[in-house]
Amino acid sequence: MAHNNRPMRRSALIGPWGVGAIVPFPNDESLMIAGLDMWRYNDATPFVIKDERLLRRLGVQELRWPPDFRENNADPQNCFLKIPAVRFPTWHYCPFCGTMEKTTFYQQQPECECYPWPNGRKCNPAFRHRRKLIPERFIVICPDGHIDDFPVAEWLHQDPGYRYNPETCKIRRSTGGTSASLSGVYYECTCGARKNIAGATRPGALSKIGYRCKGSKPWLGMDNDEEHPCGRADVRVVLRGATNVWFADTRSSIYIPTDDEQATKKIIAILDEFFDVLSAMRVDGEWNRGFIDMLAERHRVDKNELYDAFIRRDQGLEGLPDVTEEISEDEYRLAEYNVLIKSSGGDAQRFHSKNYPISYYDPVISKYFKSISLVHKLQETRAFVGFSRADPSEMPISERKKTLRLGSENWLPAIQVHGEGIFFEFNKEAVEEWAQRPAVLARLRNLQDSYRNSKFGANVTGDLRPEFVLIHTFAHLIINQLSFECGYGSSSIRERIYCEKAENKYGMYGVLIYTASGDSEGSLGGLVRQGTKDHIEDTIRDAVRNAAWCSSDPVCIQSYGQGPESCNLAACHNCALLPETCCECGNRLLDRGTVVGTLDNKSIGFFAELLEQ
């Protein structure tokens, strides 16, 4: 069902909400975004996003913008499009008398039936407007991605002598008493059963009443998956607004230019519109010169220039490495890294970067970097491929996509944003020499153990590399500093790390700091300006100096593990943590000590000498 007057931003359907996520709305209403089978486009052509590399990476035929609501006079073809949603949780209760009712996924928000309870508060059926019921706060999630209502009736009638009959039993929910904990939340039934929910959140609590995961998938309209039963007993009772109810799995891609600077904006526009069509029309690899000449005449451009532009783009695409669903994220990013370490693209294209050797800048930072690239224009595509529950988990893209739909449609929702950025290419020799120091390896031993034992690093083979921790922490510190100096909010600046966590197959040592928020904050020029000579040196120096002391020191710098799953060392909200939209690792694998050193050993810090200058 599509609910009216419940607006959402299209970018929010990629994250923090999307298919399978519970979205809170005003007036105590809770809805879950339905699967892609229920999304409707009258004509999907205007919503298609072109990104050939990402299409190959995800193994789909199309990427589409989520539909937006349009009036009939604005777009008759795609008017009145809505995002479908189902009602979840289905257990609701009256905020006044506590009367509970179980609805369906497709029912409107229920109203209190004013049951005449013999004691306590009760609603008056003579009132003209009955109270709207509000959804139950507690739900059940499964590590396999399933989600279900809290088994209210089963929990209440678990004691011998009570049996739930949906035809005759009426359940009421009440709170209060002397306790503000779960023991103060009671369910009671007209059959005489009464029980609080103390202990329901403990591991194994539901298995004692015989509850097993039913494989419920409300976003697909499935209350019980009989064909693929789950049966797991290690389910969790959580609040419906808890952060572990839904973790988005998004994949992003930076556009790589395949056109040279000779192409004008008009020619590039023709290429973007007709390249795929003409490529499919080729016979024995030959382009249809007559059709290209016709396009040139229609758009008033030189025939030979347009033909050469088609040839150059084709050669540029052939030069890109093969991309499949099986390649690693690091291998996918290698092509981007090779573009970022040099001057690429042009002002007429969707990507434009200018690379400067470190000798162009003040010698104070020459030891640490090889070059810095100012990315004047970039285009990023972010696609939503699936989600997980309970804990963020790694899963092949092909398996993740299956959770979004029942049918076989071959497309995924995505958004495309534009922005600017600064790319830092680290000095490879200096970083590798620093990473082999015994004091550095000893410092990160505790972080290595925490990472290996965490679910975040469960599927990663090999040891955590100090180089990755250094570059990741530097990215956080520089984002904090740039947000003070260039006018962007820290939540609108993102990192994209080009360095492997546990292996060193590709020799990448860099990080792209960029902004691509898509609406209110885009390409304003402030970030690139901070990367120019006589600006970026001060920014780096100030970021390192500010990191030398945290307001939580010495507790922070002496920590042996803090943050999510203890996957940080010296990193807290006062020094190195950022909004979740900025970080690729969920604010994990950070250590300020790798940048500035520790209280008793400054040599551990890669930028320690910068503090003395």
Side-chain angles (χ1 to χ4, degrees):
M1 62 183 178
H3 296 268
N4 297 322
N5 301 323
R6 294 165 181 85
M8 289 184 63
R9 295 170 58 185
R10 287 203 287 179
S11 59
L13 291 165
I14 307 299
W17 293 303
V19 174
I22 301 175
V23 185
F25 286 100
N27 302 319
D28 294 315
E29 197 167 18
S30 176
L31 304 176
M32 178 178 286
I33 305 299
L36 298 181
D37 303 284
M38 300 177 66
W39 292 33
R40 292 292 178 263
Y41 297 86
N42 298 331
D43 179 13
T45 304
F47 298 91
V48 173
I49 293 175
K50 295 182 179 180
D51 192 318
E52 187 63 31
R53 287 182 67 243
L54 191 57
L55 285 173
R56 296 177 187 176
R57 171 83 166 112
L58 302 180
V60 294
Q61 294 178 351
E62 285 183 350
L63 298 174
R64 299 181 187 175
W65 281 92
D68 58 335
F69 187 85
R70 305 176 184 182
E71 297 291 347
N72 186 37
N73 57 357
D75 187 354
Q77 184 66 27
N78 286 298
C79 59
F80 308 134
L81 298 180
K82 303 175 183 178
I83 300 296
V86 297
R87 190 166 300 282
F88 186 85
T90 57
W91 272 112
H92 290 69
Y93 66 92
C94 176
F96 183 78
C97 69
T99 302
M100 300 197 73
E101 179 182 343
K102 189 173 177 62
T103 67
T104 66
F105 296 145
Y106 313 105
Q107 187 175 332
Q108 293 293 333
Q109 188 173 9
E111 297 179 346
C112 183
E113 61 180 13
C114 303
Y115 184 80
W117 295 97
N119 53 64
R121 296 195 298 184
K122 47 184 173 288
C123 292
N124 189 344
F127 287 169
R128 181 177 179 180
H129 299 288
R130 296 190 178 185
R131 290 181 173 86
K132 295 283 188 180
L133 302 189
I134 62 179
E136 174 56 72
R137 295 170 55 199
F138 300 97
I139 59 173
V140 179
I141 59 175
C142 170
D144 287 343
H146 308 128
I147 189 169
D148 197 6
D149 286 275
F150 179 74
V152 174
E154 292 84 348
W155 181 266
L156 175 58
H157 296 84
Q158 62 178 284
D159 295 334
Y162 298 107
R163 183 178 180 182
Y164 177 64
N165 185 343
E167 300 295 330
T168 59
C169 288
K170 290 292 182 183
I171 300 178
R172 177 163 68 173
R173 184 185 193 274
S174 60
T175 58
T178 59
S179 175
S181 64
L182 294 182
S183 61
V185 180
Y186 282 89
Y187 295 123
E188 58 180 315
C189 182
T190 51
C191 68
R194 189 172 191 268
K195 192 172 185 64
N196 63 36
I197 60 173
T201 58
R202 296 173 183 169
L206 295 187
S207 62
K208 296 179 180 179
I209 64 173
Y211 180 89
R212 295 290 187 274
C213 178
K214 300 182 296 182
S216 177
K217 303 174 183 177
W219 67 96
L220 300 179
M222 300 175 62
D223 183 48
N224 189 354
D225 192 350
E226 297 179 355
E227 294 184 4
H228 305 90
C230 179
R232 294 188 64 155
D234 57 336
V235 294
R236 302 185 190 180
V237 176
V238 298
L239 294 173
R240 69 172 188 270
T243 56
N244 62 344
V245 171
W246 189 85
F247 296 96
D249 187 353
T250 60
R251 306 300 168 97
S252 63
S253 176
I254 301 295
Y255 169 79
I256 294 179
T258 54
D259 307 308
D260 56 27
E261 295 186 6
Q262 301 174 26
T264 64
K265 290 185 178 181
K266 185 177 289 189
I267 288 179
I268 290 175
I270 299 172
L271 291 173
D272 292 340
E273 184 175 357
F274 295 100
F275 183 84
D276 293 336
V277 176
L278 286 177
S279 181
M281 294 169 55
R282 285 189 293 177
V283 178
D284 296 330
E286 296 295 328
W287 292 88
N288 189 332
R289 182 61 187 264
F291 195 92
I292 293 176
D293 291 346
M294 183 194 68
L295 288 175
E297 185 176 349
R298 179 192 299 176
H299 294 277
R300 298 180 180 179
V301 298
D302 186 85
K303 297 178 182 180
N304 294 326
E305 286 185 11
L306 182 59
Y307 179 76
D308 292 340
F310 272 96
I311 299 298
R312 288 194 299 268
R313 174 172 284 199
D314 184 47
Q315 293 173 346
L317 289 174
E318 290 179 352
L320 294 178
D322 292 334
V323 176
T324 64
E325 293 182 65
E326 287 73 27
I327 69 170
S328 66
E329 181 66 21
D330 292 308
E331 185 178 357
Y332 182 75
R333 294 190 182 190
L334 179 61
E336 300 174 9
Y337 181 79
N338 291 332
V339 169
L340 287 165
I341 60 177
K342 61 183 180 181
S343 297
S344 305
D347 186 59
Q349 302 181 40
R350 289 172 284 175
F351 183 92
H352 181 206
S353 70
K354 183 67 175 177
N355 181 263
Y356 296 93
I358 201 61
S359 58
Y360 173 76
Y361 294 92
D362 192 295
V364 71
I365 62 172
S366 61
K367 174 184 176 181
Y368 311 105
F369 303 98
K370 182 179 180 180
S371 69
I372 294 177
S373 295
L374 304 185
V375 185
H376 299 272
K377 293 174 62 177
L378 65 83
Q379 175 183 282
E380 182 191 25
T381 305
R382 304 173 195 157
F384 175 69
V385 300
F387 61 89
S388 58
R389 302 198 194 276
D391 294 291
S393 61
E394 294 292 334
M395 186 182 294
I397 295 176
S398 57
E399 294 297 319
R400 187 76 86 190
K401 292 185 296 184
K402 295 178 182 179
T403 64
L404 301 181
R405 56 166 59 88
L406 291 172
S408 57
E409 291 184 86
N410 203 7
W411 65 273
L412 289 172
I415 61 172
Q416 203 166 63
V417 292
H418 301 81
E420 57 173 337
I422 308 173
F423 177 75
F424 298 90
E425 182 187 8
F426 279 73
N427 185 328
K428 178 180 179 180
E429 290 74 18
V431 171
E432 291 181 345
E433 183 276 327
W434 168 86
Q436 296 302 317
R437 297 177 186 175
V440 173
L441 296 174
R443 165 76 179 173
L444 295 181
R445 193 168 294 123
N446 289 330
L447 182 59
Q448 170 67 57
D449 294 338
S450 298
Y451 177 60
R452 186 183 292 112
N453 296 327
S454 70
K455 295 185 178 180
F456 181 70
N459 297 324
V460 178
T461 58
D463 294 334
L464 178 65
R465 300 176 66 208
E467 297 97 319
F468 180 88
V469 179
L470 166 66
I471 295 175
H472 186 204
T473 308
F474 171 80
H476 279 232
L477 299 177
I478 205 72
I479 287 175
N480 269 330
Q481 190 63 33
L482 286 169
S483 67
F484 288 124
E485 297 181 354
C486 69
Y488 285 112
S490 60
S491 60
S492 65
I493 305 178
R494 301 165 67 93
E495 66 178 8
R496 192 168 178 86
I497 303 172
Y498 296 87
C499 181
E500 297 166 83
K501 289 188 180 74
E503 297 179 300
N504 189 18
K505 293 182 179 179
Y506 309 110
M508 296 186 294
Y509 296 99
V511 61
L512 174 64
I513 307 299
Y514 68 104
T515 175
S517 59
D519 44 22
S520 60
E521 295 186 71
S523 182
L524 301 179
L527 201 59
V528 166
R529 183 178 183 275
Q530 286 303 124
T532 57
K533 184 179 180 181
D534 298 330
H535 284 89
I536 194 62
E537 300 93 338
D538 292 336
T539 299
I540 295 173
R541 186 187 294 111
D542 292 342
V544 172
R545 288 177 177 175
N546 290 337
W549 185 257
C550 169
S551 59
S552 294
D553 281 343
V555 175
C556 178
I557 195 66
Q558 294 178 344
S559 172
Y560 291 101
Q562 57 181 320
E565 300 180 281
S566 297
C567 284
N568 291 328
L569 293 181
C572 67
H573 284 284
N574 296 321
C575 57
L577 299 190
L578 292 174
E580 293 293 336
T581 55
C582 307
C583 182
E584 294 187 314
C585 302
N587 274 327
R588 297 175 176 88
L589 307 183
L590 298 166
D591 178 26
R592 192 162 42 89
T594 59
V595 177
V596 297
T598 60
L599 296 178
D600 54 353
N601 191 350
K602 293 296 183 181
S603 65
I604 294 177
F606 181 73
F607 293 92
E609 294 182 9
L610 196 60
L611 295 173
E612 303 173 358
Q613 298 178 2

